[in-house]
Every structure is written in C-alpha cells, then in structure tokens.
Amino acid sequence: MTEPTSTPPGPSGLVEPSAAPAGRPAAFFDVDNTIIRGASAFHLAVGLYRRGFFRNWDIVTFAIHQSRYLMFGENRRQIDEVRDKGLTIMQGHSVAEVVAIAEDIYDEVLSLRIFPGTQKLLDDHLAAGHEVWLITATPVEIGELIARRLGVTGALGTVAEHKDGFYTGRLVGDMLHGKAKASAVRELAARENLDLTASYAYGDSTNDVPILSAVGFPCAINPDRRLRRHAQTVGWPIREFRGRRRAARRSANLASLAGLAWVAGLVVRTIRRGARI
C-alpha cells in the first residue's frame, strides 16, 4: 500500500527552509517503537529482574504491558501503572548501578532492535549538521545512554528523583509524555537557539502529536492506528520501517506471545525450584 506522497526528509536529501532561520535546525526523535522496536523500559526491566531487582509477578506485569504496547500501541493508563510500579521498585537503588546494568542491556538487546530505517534518518540529520535529540518518557539516564551510543546530541527524559546517588521513588515533575514532550522541546529550543519551524520530529504514537505539531517537518514512523489516521488527515509523511504492516503486526503479536510465554515459564521454573528447596 502506498503511503502519503508528501516528501519526508530522508536518505535522498533533507528538506531545508529557503530563508536563513533565526536559529539552528534540529531533529527530535521519540525512542520506543520509533528508534527501538518495543518498549526500552521493558528490556531494562528484564535485565533488572535477572539481577534480583524484581519479584516474579513484577516481570509478568511488565511483559503483559510490552505485549499490549506492541499489539495496540500506547495507553496512558497502562503507562501510569508501569511508571508507579517502576518508581516503587527502584526506590533505594543506586543510580550508578542501574546505569551500569542499562549499558549491558543496550549491548545485549537494544542495539539489536534498532530500526535500520530510523538509524539512516539519524545519520542523515547528523551529516547535515543538525542537532539530534531523543525525547522519551524513559528515565533520562537511559535516554542519555542511548543517545551516547547512537552518537547524537543528547536526550530529554523522565527525571526520577535521587538523593546522594540513590533513587527516592519519586519523580521530578511529571513523565515526559504527550504535551510534556512538546513543552520540553520548546524550552530546549529557547535555551539552545533552535528554530522549531526549521526542525523535524519523529514519533510512533498519537501521544506524539503535540511534539510533531511543534515543528515545521513532522513525520510519523511506524505509527499506531490513531496516529496513522491523523497523519493521513493532516498530510504528514509516514515512514513504515517494520516491513509490510500486516506481516509486521503478525510478527509482533507472535513475538509478544512468545515473550510472555518465556516469562511465564521462567516464573514457573523459579517457583518449582523454590518448592524443591
């Protein structure tokens, strides 16, 4: 199926404004399902579980959330539930410890789940001399880690409060999600002299509409159903990096169910081992 024909920025050359902008252009990328397939926080949760951070039921809850996310896209209520549980679990743990674990998880899992098409867009923007920022609801430490590994300018993310190097279980402000993303980008643009009318934004969810609407060159990547409809209505370009949509959806569903079965099996084996002791 042919996507909207509006010319998006891409490998053939980035669209640039004809007049010199007041500030520098930048590109803003969502992370989950835009750069990385699935939810990066889920893969972090699995890594933390293996290192004894979580109970068995906690990881099952995260796996169910990941399955829903891959199949149906983001849901604010589910995001809030995972946020609250995650904050409770992280309370008292060292920031340095979590970041070190996240480094390993990036190497083991996340680096293998980057969409090549999005990687090419990142590279195009960097080659054009644009600042490239990751804007994510994921904890800012994880966003900054991914930004470093991808070689981009930086990241804005949800800020979990920490005191003396340990998480308190509270947030500083709210999650960087929806309208909060757009507000954070406007503040960043004012601080760094970035021209949003000459800038680009990429996202996969209807919750990314505020940040996509804040720039001159928005583009939907791997959009959920609602964002796809909105993009088609307003004429935003769409990039689909998951292959054919039907095949991608079937593959995502099977992967989600397989992952959930793996987690359930892991929990059962753990319970059985405990019963034998």
Side-chain angles (χ1 to χ4, degrees):
M1 177 179 175
T2 303
E3 301 291 0
T5 56
S6 11
T7 304
S12 60
L14 297 167
V15 177
E16 294 288 2
S18 55
R24 303 186 308 279
F28 306 99
F29 285 79
D30 173 54
V31 172
D32 293 345
N33 234 30
T34 301
I35 296 175
I36 293 170
R37 186 183 299 275
S40 54
F42 167 74
H43 300 294
L44 176 64
V46 171
L48 294 174
Y49 169 78
R50 288 173 172 168
R51 292 160 177 84
F53 276 58
F54 299 157
R55 301 168 301 169
N56 295 331
W57 185 247
D58 292 326
I59 196 64
V60 170
T61 301
F62 281 118
I64 291 171
H65 171 73
Q66 168 79 344
S67 300
R68 288 173 175 170
Y69 177 52
L70 283 172
M71 288 189 282
F72 306 116
E74 290 181 336
N75 177 290
R76 181 62 199 227
R77 181 181 59 80
Q78 293 167 6
I79 290 170
D80 289 343
E81 289 174 358
V82 171
R83 174 203 62 192
D84 293 341
K85 180 174 286 293
L87 286 170
T88 300
I89 289 169
M90 298 310 296
Q91 185 175 0
H93 286 287
S94 157
V95 176
E97 179 186 15
V98 172
V99 171
I101 292 170
E103 294 271 5
D104 292 339
I105 292 164
Y106 183 91
D107 292 333
E108 296 167 3
V109 181
L110 299 183
S111 63
L112 305 177
R113 300 181 68 84
I114 295 172
F115 291 106
T118 311
Q119 178 71 71
K120 184 66 168 65
L121 282 174
L122 288 164
D123 294 342
D124 286 345
H125 282 292
L126 292 171
H130 299 164
E131 291 195 9
V132 176
W133 290 85
L134 309 187
I135 314 295
T136 177
T138 296
V140 66
E141 293 88 356
I142 310 306
E144 289 174 344
L145 184 160
I146 296 172
R148 287 197 304 273
R149 293 303 192 92
L150 292 174
V152 302
T153 310
L156 300 180
T158 299
V159 180
E161 183 184 73
H162 49 84
K163 185 176 182 180
D164 299 326
F166 292 85
Y167 290 108
T168 66
R170 296 185 294 271
L171 288 182
V172 177
D174 200 1
M175 282 189 72
L176 198 64
H177 191 263
K179 293 180 180 179
K181 280 187 177 182
S183 296
V185 162
R186 291 188 184 97
E187 291 174 8
L188 176 69
R191 187 169 67 248
E192 299 293 329
N193 191 31
L194 304 175
D195 183 3
L196 292 182
T197 64
S199 293
Y200 309 75
Y202 303 90
D204 73 292
S205 164
T206 187
N207 295 303
D208 292 320
V209 167
I211 189 174
L212 293 169
S213 301
V215 300
F217 299 99
C219 180
I221 291 183
N222 307 325
D224 62 22
R225 191 174 302 125
R226 288 176 295 174
L227 178 57
R228 183 176 295 276
R229 283 200 301 265
H230 183 81
Q232 290 170 337
T233 298
V234 300
W236 291 346
I238 296 172
R239 291 293 184 90
E240 182 59 68
F241 294 139
R242 295 169 296 187
R244 297 185 57 156
R245 294 214 306 272
R246 185 175 299 174
R249 188 179 301 113
R250 185 186 304 116
S251 173
N253 291 351
L254 290 174
S256 300
L257 292 172
L260 188 55
W262 172 83
V263 172
L266 180 64
V267 171
V268 169
R269 289 195 297 273
T270 302
I271 292 171
R272 284 177 176 172
R273 281 198 301 270
R276 288 198 296 268
I277 295 175

